[in-house]
Amino acid sequence: MPLMSGSRFMSETFKGYGISHLFVMPYVLNPVLRDCEQLGIRRVMCHSEKGAAYMADGYARIGRKPSVCMCQSVGAANLAAGLQDAWLACSPVIAITGRLEQIKQHRHAYQEIDHRGPFASVTKFDSQVTSAEQLPFFLRQAFREATTGTPGPTHLDLDGIDGTVVANDEADLEVIVEEAFTRLPPFRPEPELALVREALELLSAAERPVIVAGGGVNTSQAQEELVALAEKLSIPVATAMNAKTVIPADHPLAVGVPGNYSRACTNKIVCEADLVFFIGSHTGGQLTHDWRIPSAGATVIQVDINPAELGRSYPIRLGMQGDARATLCKLLENCETTDPRTAWIDRVHELIGEWREEVAPLVNCEELPMRPERLCKELSETLPADAVLVSDTGHAGIWTGTMLDFKDPGQSYIRCSGSLGWGIPAAIGAKCAVGDRPVICFTGDGGVYYHLTELDTALRCGINTVTVINNNSSLNQEQVGVERTYGARGPGSDELWMLSDVDFDKVAESMGCFGVQVTRPEEFAGALEQALSCGKPAVIDVKTHIEGIAPGAWVPPGGP
C-alpha cells in the first residue's frame, strides 16, 4: 500500500463515495479542503455550524445519499445540535470535528468540552480517530452506519483542534470504496413469501383498509409500486409528511397527510379504517397525533426495513421486515386485482369533499393582507413540474402539509423535522444535490431570522435557491398559548409573539441577492417567475395576514 497522508485518504474516499459538496464552518481540516478542491469537490463555507449541518441534511435527504459536514473543536457542540434534524429525519449525514489530543483533555484546555455527550443522542455511530492509520476502519464504518437499516447521522472526532493531527499524519493507506454504501438504501431485503401471502389475505378481507406511507417509501423510491398496489387492491393512501409526494395529490386514492399537521378528512379516514397498513413509517407522534390516529386497538400491518420498528407504537397483527420497494414488488407479484371497494372509496371521497368545501373560502379568499391558505394555492398552481419544495417547521410545516398540493411526479418535498430556521440552509444543501432543478424554500419570518446569513453563503457559492416568506411580522403560532396564559391580548402578551415589520426583499437586495415583494395573490406567479430566472439567490417576501393561524388537528370524539 502507498504511503499517504490522512488528508489525501479522506479526500479520495469522499470522492469515491460520490460526495460532491462539503459543508464546513472554518477553520477545519484545511489540508482536506485543499485536496478536495483538487479532486473537484465543492467546499461550501457556512456562517454557522448548525447551518452546515442543515445543508448536509438537505443534501442527503433529497439526494438519497450520504453527505459530510465539518467544524473545528470549539464548534462541535453547535454542530451536534444541528444534527437533531438529521437524526429525526433519518438522514445519512457524516459529521467530522476536531478534538484536542488526549493529553489536553480533562485539564481545562481553552474552549474544549467532552464531545461524547452532545453527539451521543443524535448519531448512530460515534468514534474518536487519533491517527491516519485508523481512518480506513472508522471512515468507512461511518458510511456503513449512516446508510444501513434506518439511516441516520454518524460522527468522527479527529485529533487536533481542527483535525489536522490526523490529516497531516501519514500511513500505508489504500482507498477502498464500498459501492453499496454510497446510496440509500444500500440493500433491499424482502419479507418471507408466507408473510406476504398472509398480508394479502388480511388486506383482501378488510372492508375499509388504508395505507399509511412513511418516509421509507420515499427513501426507497417506491412511489410507482405504492400507487400500483393501491390501485390493484383499491386502497386509499395517506402519507407522512416525509412521503407527501409519493402519490399525486389529484390521484383518486390520495387522501393527504394525517396526524398533527393534517387535513381533518385524512384523520377521519384513518380512524374509520378497519385495517391500517403502515409502510416504511416510524408510526411516531406527529403522524398519529400522539397515537390517537388510528386509535388504539386498530388492526395493523407494518413493513419496515428495521425490525425494531415493527410494533413499536401499535400492536401489530402482522409485521414484515423489508425494504419498502422490494416488499411492494413482492406484494404486487402475488396479488390479484380486487373488486373496487365502492362503498369505502365513496365514503373517502365524501370526507375529502366536505373538507375542501370547508376550506374553500380561505383558499380562494381575496382578503388583504393575503391569507396563508391562498398563498399555498398560488404556490401549488405555479410550482414548476420538477421543483424541490423545502419546508421549515411550525406554521410552514402545517401549511405545506395541509394546503399545498403536489400533482406532478417530478416534484419533490422535504420538510424540517425539528428546528425552526432549518429551511434556508437545508434548501441550499438540497440545491447542491439536484443541480439545475429549481429549489424553493417555504418559511415564515420567524424562521428566516435564524439563518438569514446563509443567503450570503448561497450568493458567494452561486447556489441559487428561492425563499418564499410567509411574512406576518409574528410568531402567530404561539399567539393562542401566550394569550391563554395572560387571559387576553395586551402589551405584555404581544411582546412574546409579535415581531418587527421587516421587508425581507430589501434585506435580500442589500446582501446582493434578488428580492421581490408580493402583497396580492395575482402578483405571486410573476414574482416566482422572476425569482427563478434572476440568476442569483432570491427572496419573495409575501405579506400575509397575522390572523392566518392553522386550525388544530381533528381528533376522534371524546379525544383530548
Side-chain angles (χ1 to χ4, degrees):
M1 290 186 291
L3 189 66
M4 185 183 296
S5 69
S7 65
R8 194 69 192 181
F9 177 84
M10 293 176 68
S11 303
E12 292 191 10
T13 299
F14 292 156
K15 183 71 173 180
Y17 278 82
I19 301 297
S20 63
H21 293 72
L22 297 176
F23 304 99
V24 302
M25 184 63 184
Y27 80 58
V28 61
L29 289 168
N30 282 337
V32 174
L33 300 182
R34 174 202 62 209
D35 293 347
C36 282
E37 181 187 21
Q38 295 171 358
L39 294 172
I41 298 174
R42 293 283 308 277
R43 294 86 44 83
V44 179
M45 188 181 75
C46 308
H47 283 285
S48 71
E49 291 84 4
K50 289 183 77 174
Y54 295 164
M55 290 181 200
D57 183 19
Y59 175 101
R61 288 170 61 185
I62 203 66
R64 298 186 181 90
K65 59 185 178 181
S67 65
V68 176
C69 57
M70 308 193 303
C71 74
Q72 63 170 281
S73 180
V74 67
N78 297 332
L79 193 70
L83 291 180
Q84 171 180 286
D85 272 84
W87 172 258
L88 293 172
C90 307
S91 181
V93 174
I94 297 165
I96 298 175
T97 58
R99 175 190 185 273
L100 286 182
E101 303 92 308
Q102 188 61 32
I103 192 62
K104 299 178 182 179
Q105 298 291 326
H106 310 293
R107 299 173 67 188
H108 307 293
Y110 179 54
Q111 296 181 327
E112 184 73 6
I113 64 170
D114 187 348
H115 296 171
R116 291 173 297 178
F119 284 96
S121 61
V122 291
T123 59
K124 293 178 63 182
F125 172 76
D126 178 18
S127 179
Q128 184 180 349
V129 180
T130 62
S131 68
E133 184 181 25
Q134 298 170 1
L135 279 171
F137 302 98
F138 297 122
L139 186 54
R140 288 201 295 269
Q141 189 63 26
F143 278 93
R144 291 187 201 106
E145 295 271 5
T147 56
T148 53
T150 301
T154 59
H155 172 234
L156 296 180
D157 218 6
L158 275 58
D159 269 18
I161 191 169
D162 59 349
T164 49
V165 169
V166 174
N168 291 331
D169 190 25
E170 292 186 334
D172 292 329
L173 302 173
E174 180 182 4
V175 175
I176 298 173
V177 175
E178 297 169 326
E179 196 274 336
F181 307 112
T182 65
R183 62 178 186 270
L184 294 181
F187 306 107
R188 294 189 180 276
E190 298 180 353
E192 302 167 33
L193 181 57
L195 295 177
V196 169
R197 288 173 173 163
E198 185 178 349
L200 290 170
E201 289 176 2
L202 290 170
L203 290 167
S204 178
E207 293 183 3
R208 301 181 307 280
V210 66
I211 291 171
V212 177
V217 175
N218 196 27
T219 300
S220 184
Q221 295 181 277
Q223 294 90 332
E224 291 184 8
E225 292 79 6
L226 174 73
V227 174
L229 184 72
E231 291 175 344
K232 201 168 184 179
L233 300 182
S234 191
I235 302 178
V237 178
T239 66
M241 293 280 285
N242 287 333
K244 187 172 169 66
T245 56
V246 298
I247 184 169
D250 56 357
H251 192 285
L253 293 175
V255 301
V257 175
N260 292 22
Y261 292 4
S262 60
R263 298 174 175 179
C265 57
T266 312
N267 283 354
K268 292 176 182 178
I269 289 164
V270 174
C271 284
E272 289 189 17
D274 61 354
L275 185 149
V276 180
F277 186 12
F278 288 105
I279 306 175
S281 166
H282 279 173
T283 63
Q286 185 183 61
L287 176 69
T288 63
H289 205 342
D290 293 333
W291 306 280
R292 290 175 287 184
I293 298 165
S295 57
T299 300
V300 170
I301 301 173
Q302 189 175 358
V303 172
D304 203 276
I305 199 167
N306 181 357
E309 295 300 330
L310 301 176
R312 181 185 291 273
S313 293
Y314 287 90
I316 51 176
R317 178 71 175 271
L318 177 67
M320 295 182 285
Q321 181 194 6
D323 165 69
R325 192 169 82 186
T327 302
L328 287 165
C329 285
K330 207 159 187 178
L331 288 163
L332 283 165
E333 291 169 2
N334 289 276
C335 73
E336 302 291 336
T337 301
T338 63
D339 293 333
R341 293 181 166 89
T342 305
W344 174 226
I345 301 303
D346 285 349
R347 173 59 176 162
V348 165
H349 290 166
E350 177 187 5
L351 290 169
I352 294 172
E354 289 174 355
W355 176 81
R356 290 201 178 277
E357 184 177 350
E358 179 184 342
V359 300
L362 295 175
V363 170
N364 300 307
C365 183
E366 297 290 342
E367 182 181 4
L368 297 178
M370 199 187 313
R371 291 285 310 190
E373 295 91 341
R374 180 61 188 269
L375 170 58
C376 287
K377 175 188 177 182
E378 298 302 319
L379 182 55
S380 294
E381 293 178 350
T382 56
L383 198 66
D386 60 344
V388 177
L389 196 287
V390 178
S391 172
D392 224 322
T393 192
H395 263 170
I398 297 173
W399 294 128
T400 57
T402 59
M403 306 306 300
L404 202 64
D405 283 334
F406 297 91
K407 298 178 181 179
D408 195 293
Q411 294 170 334
S412 303
Y413 171 81
I414 58 174
R415 58 93 185 191
C416 177
S417 292
S419 305
L420 186 61
W422 172 91
I424 287 178
I428 293 170
K431 181 65 174 175
C432 292
V434 300
D436 291 337
R437 292 178 63 189
V439 175
I440 299 167
C441 169
F442 185 93
T443 185
D445 50 315
V448 167
Y449 282 113
Y450 281 82
H451 297 288
L452 177 64
T453 52
E454 300 300 355
L455 288 177
D456 171 70
T457 303
L459 182 69
R460 283 186 288 103
C461 298
I463 305 168
N464 297 334
T465 60
V466 175
T467 302
V468 176
I469 304 174
N470 172 30
N471 186 0
N472 51 32
S473 303
S474 74
L475 292 167
N476 67 344
Q477 189 176 357
E478 318 302 331
Q479 178 183 357
V480 173
V482 170
E483 292 179 1
R484 184 184 300 122
T485 300
Y486 274 78
R489 184 170 181 175
S493 65
D494 284 356
E495 67 185 57
L496 296 181
W497 65 276
M498 296 185 72
L499 303 174
S500 301
D501 184 5
V502 172
D503 294 331
F504 288 102
D505 54 310
K506 293 182 174 61
V507 175
E509 289 177 341
S510 73
M511 298 174 70
C513 301
F514 174 82
V516 60
Q517 187 174 118
V518 170
T519 59
R520 307 182 67 87
E522 62 269 19
E523 297 171 351
F524 184 81
L528 182 59
E529 184 179 357
Q530 291 180 68
L532 289 170
S533 61
C534 70
K536 58 175 68 174
V539 166
I540 304 175
D541 186 7
V542 185
K543 301 301 185 181
T544 57
H545 207 298
I546 197 169
E547 302 299 338
I549 298 174
W554 180 90
V555 293

